[in-house]
Amino acid sequence: MTDRRSSWLELAENLAERVRTGKLQPGDRLPTENELRNSTGLSRTTVRHAVAEVRSRGLIKTVPQDGSFVLGSGGPFQLGPGESVTPSTALIVTGADGSIRTLAAGTRIVVDANGCACHG
């Protein structure tokens, strides 16, 4: 790891990459804060910042008194006609044109027979 400002980001990228490549599978528990500190030599604050970054990307969830767990890669997924999803937290949607929208928790997204997604 390099300087303090980029150390947290480097650790966050490392953890995110482990999720993307399948080294950490959905449901797996992340190493504890102390384990990450011991393996990287980083401070508690730096480790917490890195874990918060990975959480903000939607790759992990943290359960108080239990730890942080992998949710998945957060990559694109396909919904077929008639399928729907209702997120329990805010959902960030990236359009084909690169536009980004944030939908509130509880927004229901449904794919119609033409493959178009709508929400309401």
Side-chain angles (χ1 to χ4, degrees), residues 2 13 20 22 27 30 36 44 51 53-55 58 62 67 71-72 76 79 82 89-90 102 107 119:
T2 55
E13 289 296 335
R20 281 191 293 273
L30 248 59
L36 289 170
R44 179 178 186 212
V51 171
E53 172 64 21
V54 178
R55 185 173 44 251
T62 299
L71 294 174
L79 290 175
T89 60
T102 302
T107 301
H119 67 280

Side-chain angles (χ1 to χ4, degrees), residues 33-64:
E33 216 174 79
N34 282 334
E35 291 169 338
L36 289 170
R37 287 177 52 212
N38 291 335
S39 67
T40 63
L42 297 173
S43 72
R44 179 178 186 212
T45 302
T46 302
V47 168
R48 282 186 167 198
H49 197 168
V51 171
E53 172 64 21
V54 178
R55 185 173 44 251
S56 76
R57 296 179 190 184
L59 299 177
I60 63 171
K61 71 175 178 176
T62 299
V63 180

